[in-house]
Coordinates of all heavy atoms in Angstrom, one line a residue:
M5 N -26.3 -38.0 9.6 CA -26.8 -37.0 8.7 C -26.3 -37.2 7.3 O -25.1 -37.4 7.1 CB -26.2 -35.6 9.2 CG -26.9 -34.4 8.5 SD -26.3 -32.9 9.2 CE -25.0 -32.5 8.1
P6 N -27.2 -37.3 6.3 CA -26.8 -37.5 4.9 C -26.0 -36.3 4.4 O -26.4 -35.2 4.6 CB -28.1 -37.8 4.2 CG -29.1 -37.1 5.0 CD -28.6 -37.1 6.4
L7 N -25.0 -36.6 3.7 CA -24.2 -35.6 3.1 C -24.6 -35.4 1.6 O -24.6 -36.4 0.9 CB -22.7 -35.9 3.2 CG -21.7 -34.8 2.7 CD1 -21.8 -33.7 3.7 CD2 -20.3 -35.4 2.7
P8 N -24.9 -34.2 1.2 CA -25.3 -34.0 -0.2 C -24.0 -34.0 -1.1 O -23.5 -33.0 -1.4 CB -26.0 -32.7 -0.2 CG -25.4 -32.0 0.9 CD -25.1 -33.0 1.9
W9 N -23.6 -35.2 -1.6 CA -22.4 -35.4 -2.3 C -22.3 -34.6 -3.6 O -21.3 -34.1 -4.0 CB -22.1 -36.8 -2.6 CG -21.8 -37.6 -1.4 CD1 -22.6 -38.5 -0.7 CD2 -20.6 -37.5 -0.6 NE1 -22.0 -39.0 0.4 CE2 -20.7 -38.4 0.5 CE3 -19.4 -36.8 -0.7 CZ2 -19.7 -38.6 1.4 CZ3 -18.4 -37.0 0.2 CH2 -18.6 -37.9 1.3
E10 N -23.5 -34.4 -4.2 CA -23.5 -33.7 -5.5 C -23.2 -32.2 -5.3 O -22.8 -31.5 -6.2 CB -24.9 -33.8 -6.2 CG -26.1 -33.2 -5.4 CD -26.7 -34.1 -4.4 OE1 -26.1 -35.2 -4.1 OE2 -27.7 -33.8 -3.8
A11 N -23.2 -31.7 -4.1 CA -22.9 -30.3 -3.8 C -21.5 -30.1 -3.4 O -21.1 -28.9 -3.2 CB -23.9 -29.7 -2.7
T12 N -20.7 -31.2 -3.2 CA -19.4 -31.0 -2.7 C -18.4 -30.3 -3.7 O -17.6 -29.5 -3.3 CB -18.8 -32.3 -2.2 OG1 -18.9 -33.2 -3.3 CG2 -19.5 -32.8 -1.0
I13 N -18.6 -30.7 -5.0 CA -17.6 -30.1 -6.0 C -17.9 -28.6 -6.2 O -16.9 -27.8 -6.1 CB -17.7 -30.9 -7.3 CG1 -17.1 -32.3 -7.1 CG2 -17.0 -30.1 -8.4 CD1 -17.2 -33.2 -8.4
P14 N -19.1 -28.2 -6.4 CA -19.3 -26.7 -6.4 C -18.9 -26.0 -5.1 O -18.3 -24.9 -5.2 CB -20.8 -26.6 -6.6 CG -21.3 -27.8 -7.2 CD -20.4 -28.9 -6.6
F15 N -19.2 -26.6 -4.0 CA -18.8 -26.0 -2.7 C -17.2 -25.9 -2.6 O -16.7 -24.8 -2.3 CB -19.3 -26.8 -1.5 CG -18.9 -26.3 -0.2 CD1 -19.5 -25.1 0.3 CD2 -17.9 -26.9 0.5 CE1 -19.1 -24.6 1.5 CE2 -17.5 -26.4 1.8 CZ -18.1 -25.3 2.2
A16 N -16.6 -26.9 -3.0 CA -15.1 -26.9 -3.0 C -14.6 -25.9 -4.0 O -13.6 -25.1 -3.7 CB -14.5 -28.3 -3.3
L17 N -15.2 -25.8 -5.2 CA -14.7 -24.8 -6.2 C -14.9 -23.4 -5.6 O -14.0 -22.5 -5.7 CB -15.6 -25.0 -7.5 CG -15.1 -26.0 -8.4 CD1 -16.0 -26.1 -9.6 CD2 -13.7 -25.6 -9.0
L18 N -16.1 -23.1 -5.0 CA -16.3 -21.8 -4.5 C -15.3 -21.4 -3.4 O -14.7 -20.3 -3.4 CB -17.7 -21.7 -3.9 CG -18.8 -21.3 -4.9 CD1 -20.2 -21.4 -4.2 CD2 -18.6 -19.9 -5.4
T19 N -15.1 -22.4 -2.5 CA -14.1 -22.2 -1.4 C -12.7 -21.9 -1.9 O -12.1 -20.9 -1.5 CB -14.1 -23.4 -0.5 OG1 -15.4 -23.7 0.0 CG2 -13.2 -23.1 0.7
V20 N -12.3 -22.7 -2.9 CA -10.9 -22.5 -3.4 C -10.8 -21.2 -4.2 O -9.8 -20.4 -4.0 CB -10.5 -23.7 -4.3 CG1 -9.3 -23.4 -5.1 CG2 -10.3 -24.9 -3.5
M21 N -11.9 -20.8 -5.0 CA -11.8 -19.6 -5.7 C -11.8 -18.3 -4.8 O -11.0 -17.4 -5.1 CB -13.0 -19.5 -6.7 CG -12.9 -20.5 -7.8 SD -11.4 -20.2 -8.8 CE -11.6 -21.6 -9.9
F22 N -12.6 -18.3 -3.8 CA -12.6 -17.2 -2.9 C -11.3 -17.1 -2.1 O -10.7 -16.0 -1.9 CB -13.8 -17.3 -1.8 CG -15.0 -16.7 -2.3 CD1 -16.1 -17.4 -2.6 CD2 -15.1 -15.3 -2.5 CE1 -17.3 -16.9 -3.1 CE2 -16.3 -14.7 -2.9 CZ -17.4 -15.5 -3.2
G23 N -10.7 -18.3 -1.7 CA -9.4 -18.3 -1.1 C -8.3 -17.8 -2.0 O -7.5 -17.0 -1.5
A24 N -8.3 -18.2 -3.2 CA -7.3 -17.8 -4.2 C -7.4 -16.3 -4.4 O -6.4 -15.6 -4.5 CB -7.4 -18.6 -5.4
A25 N -8.6 -15.8 -4.6 CA -8.8 -14.4 -4.9 C -8.3 -13.6 -3.7 O -7.6 -12.6 -3.9 CB -10.2 -14.1 -5.3
G26 N -8.7 -14.0 -2.5 CA -8.3 -13.2 -1.4 C -6.8 -13.2 -1.2 O -6.2 -12.2 -0.8
T27 N -6.2 -14.4 -1.4 CA -4.7 -14.5 -1.2 C -4.0 -13.7 -2.2 O -3.1 -12.9 -1.9 CB -4.3 -15.9 -1.2 OG1 -5.0 -16.7 -0.2 CG2 -2.8 -16.1 -1.0
L28 N -4.5 -13.7 -3.5 CA -3.8 -12.9 -4.5 C -4.0 -11.4 -4.3 O -3.0 -10.7 -4.5 CB -4.3 -13.3 -5.9 CG -3.9 -14.6 -6.4 CD1 -4.6 -14.9 -7.7 CD2 -2.4 -14.6 -6.6
F29 N -5.1 -11.0 -3.8 CA -5.4 -9.6 -3.5 C -4.4 -9.2 -2.3 O -3.8 -8.1 -2.4 CB -6.8 -9.4 -3.1 CG -7.2 -8.0 -2.9 CD1 -7.2 -7.1 -4.0 CD2 -7.6 -7.5 -1.7 CE1 -7.5 -5.8 -3.8 CE2 -7.9 -6.2 -1.5 CZ -7.9 -5.3 -2.6
N30 N -4.3 -10.0 -1.3 CA -3.4 -9.7 -0.2 C -2.0 -9.6 -0.7 O -1.3 -8.6 -0.4 CB -3.5 -10.9 0.8 CG -2.8 -10.5 2.1 OD1 -2.2 -9.5 2.2 ND2 -3.0 -11.4 3.1
V31 N -1.5 -10.5 -1.5 CA -0.1 -10.5 -2.0 C 0.1 -9.3 -2.8 O 1.1 -8.6 -2.7 CB 0.2 -11.8 -2.8 CG1 1.4 -11.7 -3.5 CG2 0.2 -13.0 -1.8
S32 N -0.9 -8.9 -3.7 CA -0.8 -7.8 -4.6 C -0.7 -6.5 -3.8 O 0.2 -5.7 -4.0 CB -2.0 -7.7 -5.5 OG -2.0 -6.5 -6.1
Q33 N -1.5 -6.3 -2.8 CA -1.5 -5.1 -2.0 C -0.2 -5.0 -1.2 O 0.4 -3.9 -1.1 CB -2.6 -5.1 -1.0 CG -3.9 -4.6 -1.7 CD -4.9 -4.1 -0.7 OE1 -5.1 -4.7 0.4 NE2 -5.6 -3.1 -1.0
R34 N 0.3 -6.1 -0.6 CA 1.6 -6.1 0.1 C 2.7 -5.8 -0.8 O 3.7 -5.2 -0.4 CB 1.7 -7.4 0.9 CG 0.8 -7.4 2.1 CD 0.9 -8.7 2.9 NE 0.0 -8.6 4.0 CZ 0.4 -8.2 5.2 NH1 1.6 -7.9 5.5 NH2 -0.5 -8.2 6.2
A35 N 2.7 -6.3 -2.0 CA 3.8 -6.1 -3.0 C 3.9 -4.6 -3.3 O 5.0 -4.1 -3.6 CB 3.6 -6.9 -4.2
Q36 N 2.7 -3.9 -3.3 CA 2.8 -2.5 -3.6 C 3.2 -1.7 -2.4 O 3.4 -0.5 -2.6 CB 1.4 -2.1 -4.1 CG 0.9 -2.7 -5.4 CD -0.5 -2.4 -5.6 OE1 -1.0 -1.3 -5.5 NE2 -1.3 -3.4 -6.0
N37 N 3.2 -2.2 -1.2 CA 3.5 -1.5 0.0 C 4.7 -2.0 0.7 O 4.8 -2.0 1.9 CB 2.3 -1.6 0.9 CG 1.2 -0.7 0.5 OD1 1.2 0.5 0.5 ND2 0.1 -1.4 -0.1
L38 N 5.7 -2.5 0.0 CA 7.0 -3.0 0.5 C 6.7 -4.1 1.6 O 7.4 -4.1 2.6 CB 7.8 -1.9 1.1 CG 8.2 -0.8 0.2 CD1 9.1 0.3 0.9 CD2 9.1 -1.4 -1.0
G39 N 5.7 -4.9 1.4 CA 5.5 -6.0 2.3 C 4.7 -5.6 3.5 O 4.4 -6.5 4.4
K40 N 4.3 -4.4 3.6 CA 3.5 -3.9 4.8 C 2.0 -3.9 4.4 O 1.7 -3.8 3.2 CB 3.9 -2.5 5.2 CG 5.3 -2.4 5.5 CD 5.7 -0.9 5.6 CE 7.2 -0.8 5.7 NZ 7.7 0.5 5.4
P41 N 1.1 -4.0 5.4 CA -0.3 -3.9 5.1 C -0.6 -2.5 4.5 O 0.0 -1.5 4.9 CB -1.0 -4.2 6.4 CG 0.1 -4.1 7.4 CD 1.4 -4.3 6.8
P42 N -1.7 -2.4 3.7 CA -2.0 -1.1 3.1 C -2.5 -0.1 4.2 O -3.0 -0.5 5.2 CB -3.1 -1.4 2.1 CG -3.7 -2.7 2.6 CD -2.6 -3.5 3.2
R43 N -2.4 1.2 3.9 CA -2.8 2.2 4.8 C -4.3 2.6 4.4 O -4.6 2.7 3.2 CB -1.9 3.4 4.7 CG -0.6 3.2 5.4 CD 0.2 4.5 5.2 NE 1.4 4.4 6.1 CZ 2.5 5.0 5.9 NH1 2.7 5.8 4.8 NH2 3.5 4.8 6.7
Y44 N -5.1 2.9 5.4 CA -6.4 3.3 5.1 C -6.6 4.7 5.8 O -5.9 5.1 6.7 CB -7.4 2.3 5.7 CG -7.3 1.0 5.1 CD1 -6.7 -0.1 5.7 CD2 -7.9 0.7 3.8 CE1 -6.6 -1.3 5.1 CE2 -7.8 -0.5 3.2 CZ -7.2 -1.5 3.9 OH -7.1 -2.7 3.3
H45 N -7.7 5.4 5.4 CA -8.1 6.7 6.0 C -6.9 7.7 5.9 O -6.5 8.3 7.0 CB -8.6 6.5 7.4 CG -9.7 5.5 7.5 ND1 -10.9 5.6 6.8 CD2 -9.7 4.4 8.1 CE1 -11.6 4.6 7.1 NE2 -11.0 3.8 7.9
I46 N -6.2 7.8 4.8 CA -5.1 8.7 4.7 C -5.5 10.1 4.5 O -6.4 10.5 3.7 CB -4.2 8.3 3.4 CG1 -3.7 6.8 3.6 CG2 -3.1 9.2 3.2 CD1 -3.1 6.3 2.4
D47 N -5.1 11.0 5.4 CA -5.4 12.4 5.3 C -4.3 13.2 4.7 O -3.3 12.7 4.3 CB -5.8 13.0 6.7 CG -4.8 12.9 7.7 OD1 -3.6 12.6 7.3 OD2 -5.0 13.1 8.9
D48 N -4.4 14.6 4.7 CA -3.4 15.4 4.0 C -2.0 15.3 4.7 O -1.0 15.3 4.0 CB -3.9 16.9 4.1 CG -5.0 17.1 3.1 OD1 -5.3 16.3 2.2 OD2 -5.7 18.2 3.2
W49 N -2.1 15.2 6.0 CA -0.8 15.1 6.8 C -0.1 13.8 6.4 O 1.1 13.8 6.1 CB -1.0 15.1 8.3 CG 0.2 14.9 9.1 CD1 0.6 13.7 9.7 CD2 1.2 15.8 9.3 NE1 1.8 13.9 10.3 CE2 2.2 15.2 10.1 CE3 1.4 17.2 9.0 CZ2 3.3 15.8 10.6 CZ3 2.5 17.8 9.4 CH2 3.5 17.1 10.2
D50 N -0.8 12.7 6.3 CA -0.2 11.4 5.9 C 0.3 11.5 4.5 O 1.4 10.9 4.2 CB -1.3 10.3 6.0 CG -1.8 10.1 7.4 OD1 -1.0 10.3 8.3 OD2 -3.0 9.7 7.5
E51 N -0.4 12.2 3.6 CA 0.1 12.3 2.2 C 1.4 13.1 2.2 O 2.3 12.7 1.5 CB -1.0 13.1 1.4 CG -2.2 12.3 1.0 CD -1.9 11.3 0.0 OE1 -0.9 11.3 -0.7 OE2 -2.8 10.4 -0.2
M52 N 1.5 14.1 3.0 CA 2.8 14.9 3.1 C 3.9 14.0 3.6 O 5.0 14.1 3.1 CB 2.6 16.1 4.0 CG 1.8 17.3 3.3 SD 2.0 18.8 4.2 CE 1.1 18.4 5.7
M53 N 3.6 13.2 4.7 CA 4.6 12.4 5.2 C 5.1 11.3 4.2 O 6.2 10.9 4.1 CB 4.1 11.7 6.5 CG 3.9 12.7 7.7 SD 5.5 13.5 8.2 CE 5.3 15.1 7.5
M54 N 4.1 10.8 3.5 CA 4.4 9.7 2.5 C 5.2 10.4 1.3 O 6.1 9.7 0.8 CB 3.2 9.1 2.0 CG 2.5 8.2 3.0 SD 0.8 7.7 2.7 CE 1.1 6.5 1.5
E55 N 4.9 11.6 1.0 CA 5.7 12.3 0.0 C 7.2 12.5 0.5 O 8.1 12.3 -0.3 CB 5.1 13.6 -0.4 CG 5.7 14.3 -1.5 CD 5.6 13.6 -2.8 OE1 4.5 12.9 -3.0 OE2 6.5 13.7 -3.7
R56 N 7.3 12.9 1.8 CA 8.6 13.0 2.3 C 9.4 11.7 2.4 O 10.6 11.7 2.0 CB 8.5 13.6 3.8 CG 9.8 13.8 4.4 CD 9.7 13.6 5.9 NE 9.2 12.3 6.3 CZ 9.0 11.9 7.5 NH1 9.2 12.7 8.5 NH2 8.6 10.7 7.8
D57 N 8.7 10.6 2.7 CA 9.3 9.3 2.7 C 9.8 8.9 1.3 O 10.8 8.3 1.2 CB 8.4 8.3 3.3 CG 8.1 8.4 4.8 OD1 9.0 9.1 5.4 OD2 7.2 7.9 5.3
K58 N 9.0 9.3 0.3 CA 9.4 9.0 -1.0 C 10.6 9.7 -1.4 O 11.5 9.2 -2.1 CB 8.2 9.3 -2.0 CG 8.5 8.9 -3.4 CD 7.3 9.2 -4.3 CE 7.7 8.8 -5.7 NZ 6.6 9.1 -6.7
R59 N 10.7 11.0 -1.0 CA 11.9 11.8 -1.3 C 13.1 11.2 -0.5 O 14.3 11.2 -1.0 CB 11.7 13.2 -0.9 CG 10.8 14.0 -1.8 CD 10.4 15.3 -1.3 NE 11.7 16.1 -1.1 CZ 11.8 17.1 -0.2 NH1 10.8 17.5 0.5 NH2 13.0 17.7 -0.1
L60 N 12.9 10.7 0.7 CA 14.0 10.2 1.5 C 14.5 8.8 1.0 O 15.7 8.5 1.0 CB 13.6 10.1 3.0 CG 13.7 11.4 3.8 CD1 13.1 11.2 5.1 CD2 15.1 11.9 3.9
T61 N 13.5 7.9 0.7 CA 13.9 6.5 0.5 C 13.6 6.1 -0.9 O 14.1 5.0 -1.3 CB 13.1 5.6 1.4 OG1 11.7 5.7 1.1 CG2 13.2 6.0 2.9
G62 N 12.8 6.8 -1.7 CA 12.5 6.4 -3.1 C 11.2 5.6 -3.2 O 10.8 5.3 -4.3
H63 N 10.5 5.4 -2.0 CA 9.2 4.7 -2.1 C 8.3 5.3 -1.0 O 8.8 5.7 0.1 CB 9.4 3.2 -1.8 CG 8.2 2.4 -2.2 ND1 7.0 2.3 -1.4 CD2 7.9 1.7 -3.3 CE1 6.1 1.6 -2.0 NE2 6.6 1.2 -3.1
R64 N 7.0 5.4 -1.3 CA 6.1 6.1 -0.4 C 5.9 5.3 0.9 O 5.6 5.9 1.9 CB 4.7 6.2 -1.1 CG 4.6 7.3 -2.1 CD 3.3 7.1 -2.9 NE 2.1 7.1 -2.2 CZ 1.4 8.3 -1.9 NH1 1.9 9.4 -2.3 NH2 0.3 8.2 -1.2
R65 N 6.2 4.0 0.9 CA 6.1 3.3 2.2 C 7.5 3.1 2.8 O 7.6 2.4 3.8 CB 5.4 1.9 1.9 CG 4.0 2.0 1.6 CD 3.2 2.7 2.6 NE 3.3 2.2 3.9 CZ 2.4 1.2 4.4 NH1 1.5 0.8 3.6 NH2 2.6 0.8 5.6
G66 N 8.5 3.6 2.2 CA 9.9 3.4 2.7 C 10.1 4.1 4.0 O 9.5 5.2 4.2
Q67 N 10.9 3.6 4.9 CA 11.3 4.3 6.1 C 12.8 4.0 6.4 O 13.3 3.1 5.9 CB 10.5 3.8 7.3 CG 9.0 4.1 7.2 CD 8.2 3.5 8.4 OE1 8.6 2.5 8.9 NE2 7.1 4.2 8.7
R68 N 13.4 5.0 7.1 CA 14.8 4.8 7.4 C 15.0 5.3 8.8 O 14.3 6.2 9.3 CB 15.7 5.5 6.4 CG 15.3 7.0 6.2 CD 16.0 7.6 5.0 NE 17.4 7.8 5.4 CZ 18.4 7.7 4.5 NH1 18.1 7.6 3.2 NH2 19.7 7.9 4.8
T69 N 16.1 4.8 9.4 CA 16.4 5.3 10.8 C 17.6 6.2 10.8 O 17.9 6.8 11.8 CB 16.7 4.0 11.7 OG1 17.7 3.3 11.1 CG2 15.5 3.2 11.9
D70 N 18.3 6.3 9.7 CA 19.4 7.2 9.6 C 19.0 8.6 9.7 O 18.2 9.1 8.9 CB 20.1 7.0 8.2 CG 21.3 7.8 8.0 OD1 21.8 8.4 9.1 OD2 21.9 7.9 6.9
P71 N 19.4 9.4 10.8 CA 19.0 10.7 11.0 C 19.5 11.7 10.0 O 19.0 12.9 9.9 CB 19.4 11.1 12.4 CG 20.6 10.2 12.6 CD 20.4 8.9 11.8
V72 N 20.5 11.4 9.2 CA 21.0 12.3 8.2 C 20.4 12.1 6.9 O 20.4 11.0 6.3 CB 22.6 12.1 8.1 CG1 23.1 13.1 7.1 CG2 23.2 12.3 9.5
A73 N 19.8 13.1 6.3 CA 19.1 13.0 5.0 C 20.1 12.8 3.9 O 21.2 13.4 4.0 CB 18.2 14.2 4.8
P74 N 19.8 12.1 2.9 CA 20.7 11.9 1.8 C 20.9 13.3 1.0 O 20.1 14.2 1.2 CB 20.1 10.9 0.9 CG 18.6 10.9 1.2 CD 18.6 11.3 2.7
E75 N 21.9 13.3 0.3 CA 22.3 14.6 -0.4 C 21.1 15.0 -1.3 O 20.8 16.2 -1.4 CB 23.5 14.4 -1.2 CG 24.1 15.6 -1.9 CD 24.7 16.6 -0.9 OE1 25.2 16.1 0.2 OE2 24.7 17.8 -1.2
R76 N 20.5 14.1 -2.0 CA 19.5 14.4 -3.0 C 18.2 15.0 -2.3 O 17.4 15.7 -3.0 CB 19.1 13.2 -3.8 CG 18.4 12.1 -3.0 CD 18.0 11.0 -3.9 NE 17.1 10.0 -3.2 CZ 17.5 9.0 -2.4 NH1 18.8 8.8 -2.4 NH2 16.7 8.3 -1.8
F77 N 18.1 14.9 -1.0 CA 16.9 15.4 -0.3 C 16.7 16.9 -0.4 O 15.6 17.4 -0.4 CB 16.9 14.9 1.1 CG 15.6 15.2 1.9 CD1 14.4 14.5 1.6 CD2 15.5 16.3 2.8 CE1 13.3 14.7 2.3 CE2 14.3 16.5 3.4 CZ 13.2 15.8 3.2
S78 N 17.9 17.6 -0.5 CA 17.8 19.0 -0.6 C 17.4 19.6 -1.9 O 17.0 20.7 -2.0 CB 19.2 19.6 -0.2 OG 20.2 19.2 -1.2
T79 N 17.4 18.8 -2.9 CA 17.0 19.3 -4.3 C 15.9 18.5 -4.9 O 15.4 19.0 -6.0 CB 18.2 19.2 -5.2 OG1 18.7 17.8 -5.2 CG2 19.3 20.1 -4.7
N80 N 15.4 17.4 -4.4 CA 14.4 16.6 -5.1 C 12.9 16.9 -4.7 O 12.1 16.2 -5.0 CB 14.7 15.1 -5.0 CG 14.4 14.6 -3.6 OD1 14.1 15.4 -2.7 ND2 14.6 13.3 -3.4
S81 N 12.7 18.1 -4.1 CA 11.3 18.4 -3.7 C 10.6 19.0 -4.9 O 11.2 19.5 -5.8 CB 11.3 19.4 -2.6 OG 11.6 20.7 -3.0
V82 N 9.3 18.8 -4.9 CA 8.4 19.4 -6.0 C 7.7 20.6 -5.4 O 7.1 20.4 -4.4 CB 7.4 18.3 -6.4 CG1 6.5 18.9 -7.5 CG2 8.2 17.1 -7.0
W83 N 7.9 21.7 -6.0 CA 7.2 22.9 -5.5 C 5.9 23.0 -6.4 O 6.0 23.2 -7.6 CB 8.1 24.1 -5.7 CG 9.2 24.1 -4.7 CD1 10.4 23.6 -4.8 CD2 9.1 24.7 -3.4 NE1 11.1 23.8 -3.7 CE2 10.4 24.5 -2.8 CE3 8.2 25.4 -2.7 CZ2 10.7 24.9 -1.5 CZ3 8.5 25.8 -1.4 CH2 9.7 25.6 -0.8
Y84 N 4.8 22.9 -5.7 CA 3.5 23.1 -6.4 C 3.2 24.6 -6.4 O 3.2 25.3 -5.4 CB 2.4 22.4 -5.6 CG 2.7 20.9 -5.4 CD1 3.2 20.4 -4.2 CD2 2.6 20.0 -6.5 CE1 3.5 19.1 -4.1 CE2 2.9 18.7 -6.4 CZ 3.3 18.2 -5.1 OH 3.6 16.9 -5.0
T85 N 3.0 25.1 -7.6 CA 2.8 26.5 -7.8 C 1.4 26.7 -8.4 O 0.9 25.9 -9.2 CB 3.9 27.1 -8.7 OG1 3.9 26.5 -9.9 CG2 5.2 27.0 -8.0
D86 N 0.9 27.9 -8.2 CA -0.4 28.3 -8.8 C -0.1 28.8 -10.2 O 1.0 29.4 -10.5 CB -1.0 29.4 -8.0 CG -1.5 28.9 -6.7 OD1 -1.8 27.6 -6.6 OD2 -1.6 29.7 -5.7
K87 N -1.0 28.6 -11.1 CA -0.9 29.2 -12.4 C -1.2 30.7 -12.3 O -2.2 31.1 -11.6 CB -1.9 28.5 -13.4 CG -1.5 27.2 -13.8 CD -2.4 26.6 -14.9 CE -1.9 25.3 -15.4 NZ -2.9 24.6 -16.3
T88 N -0.4 31.5 -12.9 CA -0.6 33.0 -12.8 C -1.1 33.4 -14.2 O -0.6 33.1 -15.2 CB 0.7 33.7 -12.5 OG1 1.7 33.3 -13.5 CG2 1.2 33.3 -11.2
Q89 N -2.2 34.1 -14.1 CA -2.8 34.7 -15.3 C -3.6 35.9 -15.0 O -4.3 36.0 -14.0 CB -3.8 33.7 -16.0 CG -3.0 32.6 -16.7 CD -3.9 31.7 -17.5 OE1 -5.0 32.1 -17.8 NE2 -3.5 30.4 -17.7
Ligands
NAG103 C1 -2.1 -11.3 4.3 O1 -0.9 -11.9 4.4 C2 -0.2 -11.7 5.7 C3 1.1 -12.4 5.6 O2 1.7 -12.3 4.3 C4 -1.0 -12.2 6.8 O3 -0.4 -11.9 8.0 C5 -2.4 -11.6 6.8 O4 -3.2 -12.1 7.8 C6 -3.0 -11.8 5.4 N1 -4.3 -11.1 5.4 C7 -5.4 -11.7 5.1 C8 -6.7 -10.9 5.1 O5 -5.4 -12.9 4.8

């Protein structure tokens, strides 16, 4: 089977560019999630748990096994209030 040599350079360029873009996207997303894959379909409950994790560990994706909350956990919550008028 004859190989179309003139098409190999564009084909290689496309392959390398898609691979580089995908790899950089993967690395970028994992860097934002402490090395874990990103979360999808996040609902209100997940948002609350991620907010709690942020208060406990300092990062929304952070987790800890220590059952005792740090001292700052008792005071670092954000109370969302309604505007009164
Ligand atoms: C992203 O990288 C991780 C390892 O760093 C790998 O396990 C995973 O398969 C990669 N995902 C894609 C879509 O390449």
